[in-house]
Structures are given as structure tokens and as C-alpha cells.
Amino acid sequence: MSKLLLSLDEVDRVCRMHGLHSQVALEDKTGITRKTWAKALKTRELSVPVMEALYGLGARPNRLLVGMEIDTDLAAA
């Protein structure tokens, strides 16, 4: 089974491009709460507001998401 996740490399590139070195800085720049950013960066789960904010900051759409193969045997354990 495969799953789409946020690319932390692209998030890092966007943050460095804007000099955003913390989740508080991301909150100030985007209006999305620090807690939401923390969850998005920890779980890498897709969130439309987070993806739109990253795109608005210059994230490349073709690099924002990555596919990851999930071993269903390990996920069930």
C-alpha cells in the first residue's frame, strides 16, 4: 500500500528561503497555528490549508508531496 506524505525536504527549502526557523515563525507568516504546523511536520499527513500555505510561500507542487510505500504487515502489528 502506498501513501502520499508532505515532503520535509521541500518544507525545509521553503522555510530556509523565507528565513523561517521555527513553527512560531511559520504561524506568523501564514496565519496557521503553531500546533497545526507541529502536527503537519510530525505526521507529514496532508492538510489542504498547510499545502496551500506552503504553495503560497513558493513550494514546488511537483515536490511538495512524496509517495511512500507502507508495509501492511508491519502496519497491522
Side-chain angles (χ1 to χ4, degrees), residues 1-64:
M1 182 172 136
S2 56
K3 184 175 182 176
L4 285 174
L5 301 172
L6 282 175
S7 167
L8 295 180
D9 289 338
E10 187 64 7
V11 173
D12 183 57
R13 186 189 73 81
V14 169
C15 288
R16 282 185 286 113
M17 185 170 63
H18 289 278
L20 305 172
H21 302 292
S22 69
Q23 293 163 4
V24 173
L26 277 167
E27 178 180 23
D28 292 343
K29 185 79 170 178
T30 65
I32 295 174
T33 66
R34 178 195 54 79
K35 185 176 177 181
T36 300
W37 280 112
K39 180 181 177 190
L41 297 176
K42 181 178 180 181
T43 65
R44 298 175 62 191
E45 290 180 2
L46 303 183
S47 160
V48 173
V50 168
M51 289 188 301
E52 287 177 346
L54 289 168
Y55 179 73
L57 292 174
R60 299 170 291 192
N62 61 331
R63 303 239 175 140
L64 188 55

